[in-house]
Amino acid sequence: MKKTLKQTDLKIYQALQGEIKRQKEGLELIASENYVSKAVLEVLGSVFTNKYSEGYPGRRYYGGQEFTDKIEKLAIKRAKKLFQAQYVNVQPLSGAPANMIAYSAVLEPGDKILGMDLSHGGHLTHGHPATLASKIYNFISYKTEENGEINYDKLEKLALKEKPKLMLAGFSSYTRQIKYRRFTQIAKKIKAISMIDIAHIAGLIAGKAVSNPVPYFDIVTTTTHKTLRGPRGGMILAKKRFAQAIDKATFPGFQGGPHMNNIAAKAVAFQEALSPSFRKYTQQILKNAKTLEQELKRKGFKIIFQKTENHMLLVDVYNSKKITGKQAEDTLDKIGITVNKNIIPNDLRSSLDPSGIRLGVPAITTRGMREKEVKKIANWINIALENYKDKEKLNSLKKEVIKLCRKFPLPS
Ligand code: DSN
């Protein structure tokens, strides 16, 4: 007789039940998180996890690839359609590996990369000294201005002076749109490869809520689990001329066997993202983020980069509400609202207890919440952060949060 997880491993079963309850009864405002559909979950937990498939469809190193070839080809076909890409590789295990693979496909150790500074919205893998990438490549960084924008004239000057071999756009906490044409024109001028990491906004691009950088850039990397609402994973899109180099850099260059359960789940998520309802979803994300921005501004919060043009907000809680980023994260945890503390540009505090928090609406939008609910949530955030020592107030807010969550079940 088949045994259930509960019978074979009670501890893990209990942790799983706890996580299910936490996700059901809490408001997920971490900008990089989302809820996948039941169909994505089904295939993620399927027998595709048993299969080794080094190589690419039609040219694998192990036998038994009848069905794995099918799913990988479908995932590629759907991703190409979603993003109008000439070439796609769906094997990268996640976003950080995708970036490492992309760098290694076109650069030699010691080559120069111009990327966005972490505290100004960039990602760790865009040049932070703590990463392996920064030990291999020579990173220099650009920053944003007081008005929250990238100064492209300054960027051009820096690029002309430094002559990087690769110019990298993209971010993990920047809330404004990037001028793709201008950015890639600068890269062309200095004969650099242009690359953009769209991990955060891939879903918004797929849903056409923001414009598509794929036609402009040589190489595009992404995760598949944020706004795109797929399984945790990575992907690289590029111009055809980079296909061979990226395939080789992925396998055998950087990875071994791709995770075929994950690739199957990516294919399912891409199909979902091609639907008209996904377009509506991404439009609603923009509306919800704008509502959150306006409500928080009205309540005296300082919004970094001045405004949002995507799914997230970076909020300076320290200088507007005299509460640190970590205190804010902990306080909101107590009422069932999950956010992450986040460094802000020129932050005087440490990254373990910075001045800011990052908020995102993709997950609550997946649950069907709209402007009305976002207004409520903004109000609760304000009350909680202004009264973070008041246990009774926090307890009653937690009850409100649970009540709201019960009205908006997770996807089925
Ligand atoms: N952890 C992801 C994020 O939250 O943006 C990026 O690595």
Side-chain angles (χ1 to χ4, degrees):
M1 204 175 72
K2 272 193 205 162
K3 283 195 174 167
T4 61
L5 175 66
K6 191 176 178 183
Q7 290 162 328
T8 59
D9 197 331
L10 187 60
K11 283 188 181 147
I12 296 294
Y13 172 81
Q14 283 168 341
L16 176 60
Q17 296 313 306
E19 180 62 14
I20 291 170
K21 185 166 186 285
R22 190 193 71 80
Q23 291 195 16
K24 275 187 181 164
E25 295 189 349
L27 287 167
E28 187 53 71
L29 291 189
I30 290 184
S32 48
E33 295 187 16
N34 213 331
Y35 307 107
V36 297
S37 68
K38 277 267 155 60
V40 167
L41 270 186
E42 184 180 333
V43 78
L44 256 185
S46 74
V47 294
F48 276 121
T49 199
N50 299 334
K51 189 74 197 101
Y52 253 126
S53 306
E54 283 102 329
Y56 292 94
R59 45 192 174 106
R60 308 271 193 195
Y61 287 83
Y62 296 5
Q65 308 292 349
E66 187 183 350
F67 302 105
T68 46
D69 274 6
K70 263 192 192 138
I71 56 162
E72 187 163 345
K73 280 197 228 157
L74 267 175
I76 291 168
K77 189 173 160 200
R78 290 171 184 177
K80 278 185 175 171
K81 189 166 172 200
L82 260 187
F83 295 99
Q84 286 103 53
Q86 294 178 3
Y87 157 86
V88 172
N89 189 315
V90 291
Q91 294 194 5
L93 301 176
S94 206
N99 285 344
M100 286 302 281
I101 290 165
Y103 299 151
S104 69
V106 293
L107 301 177
E108 294 299 326
D111 278 350
K112 207 178 260 183
I113 303 176
L114 180 55
M116 196 168 187
D117 188 273
L118 178 77
S119 69
H120 286 246
H123 186 251
L124 281 167
T125 55
H126 300 178
H128 192 275
T131 60
L132 175 63
S134 78
K135 294 182 176 66
I136 300 176
Y137 305 105
N138 178 11
F139 281 93
I140 39 173
S141 57
Y142 56 93
K143 296 183 174 179
T144 58
E145 301 292 311
E146 263 302 299
N147 66 3
E149 288 177 16
I150 294 168
N151 180 328
Y152 290 88
D153 295 336
K154 251 192 191 171
L155 179 65
E156 182 168 357
K157 269 196 198 136
L158 185 61
L160 283 165
K161 180 173 156 245
E162 295 286 349
K163 297 250 168 18
K165 195 153 173 212
L166 188 146
M167 274 188 64
L168 176 61
F171 47 81
S172 65
S173 60
Y174 187 54
T175 60
R176 306 289 291 271
Q177 291 200 22
I178 290 183
K179 292 182 176 149
Y180 306 140
R181 189 186 293 276
R182 180 83 174 97
F183 192 98
T184 51
Q185 273 168 351
I186 299 171
K188 273 198 189 111
K189 195 166 176 181
I190 58 160
K191 296 194 169 41
I193 291 164
S194 59
M195 171 172 157
I196 183 166
D197 176 346
I198 58 164
H200 264 268
I201 55 169
L204 301 181
I205 295 165
K208 301 197 180 348
V210 304
S211 60
N212 183 10
V214 173
Y216 296 95
F217 284 79
D218 292 323
I219 301 177
V220 179
T221 55
T222 186
T223 54
T224 48
H225 49 273
K226 298 185 173 88
T227 46
L228 193 49
R229 215 162 63 181
R232 307 197 77 77
M235 174 163 70
I236 303 176
L237 312 98
K239 297 280 179 283
K240 249 195 193 127
R241 64 180 185 280
F242 296 102
Q244 217 189 348
I246 294 171
D247 275 354
K248 271 169 67 182
T250 306
F251 172 82
F254 193 76
Q255 297 186 169
H259 296 180
M260 298 315 291
N261 58 324
N262 211 275
I263 288 178
K266 285 174 187 171
V268 174
F270 298 159
Q271 180 83 323
E272 290 172 359
L274 282 163
S275 71
S277 66
F278 193 82
R279 278 205 191 187
K280 279 198 198 136
Y281 164 62
T282 59
Q283 290 295 344
Q284 190 60 45
I285 286 180
L286 293 190
K287 288 184 200 158
N288 284 353
K290 196 39 84 183
T291 304
L292 189 58
E293 171 206 303
Q294 283 164 354
E295 291 299 302
L296 291 179
K297 266 187 186 163
R298 282 200 316 123
K299 292 175 197 310
F301 285 91
K302 183 172 179 221
I303 306 297
I304 302 291
F305 308 126
Q306 303 223 357
K307 61 177 175 179
T308 180
E309 292 168 338
N310 56 32
H311 59 295
M312 64 184 158
L313 286 173
L314 187 59
V315 185
D316 180 352
V317 286
Y318 187 66
N319 292 298
S320 47
K321 295 284 167 176
K322 291 286 157 254
I323 180 169
T324 71
K326 179 162 170 25
Q327 282 171 330
E329 179 187 300
D330 291 345
T331 302
L332 293 175
D333 251 340
K334 285 184 191 145
I335 65 165
I337 295 182
T338 316
V339 306
N340 66 277
K341 55 186 168 297
N342 213 102
I343 197 129
I344 60 170
N346 312 314
D347 207 330
L348 298 173
R349 303 185 57 82
S350 83
S351 54
L352 284 175
D353 193 5
S355 302
I357 55 173
R358 188 184 62 165
L359 306 171
V361 297
I364 59 165
T365 310
T366 292
R367 292 178 91 145
M369 294 184 195
R370 302 168 72 92
E371 289 90 328
K372 185 175 152 213
E373 289 75 34
V374 172
K375 283 182 187 166
K376 271 190 191 166
I377 295 167
N379 191 33
W380 294 337
I381 290 174
N382 185 43
I383 297 173
L385 298 190
E386 284 190 349
N387 300 277
Y388 69 100
K389 291 184 181 147
D390 186 337
K391 274 190 184 157
E392 231 168 84
K393 221 166 225 157
L394 296 183
N395 280 340
S396 82
L397 286 175
K398 180 160 185 140
K399 283 184 193 138
E400 296 284 332
V401 167
I402 294 176
K403 222 161 76 189
L404 178 68
C405 286
R406 290 201 172 130
K407 282 198 215 150
F408 292 88
L410 300 188
S412 53

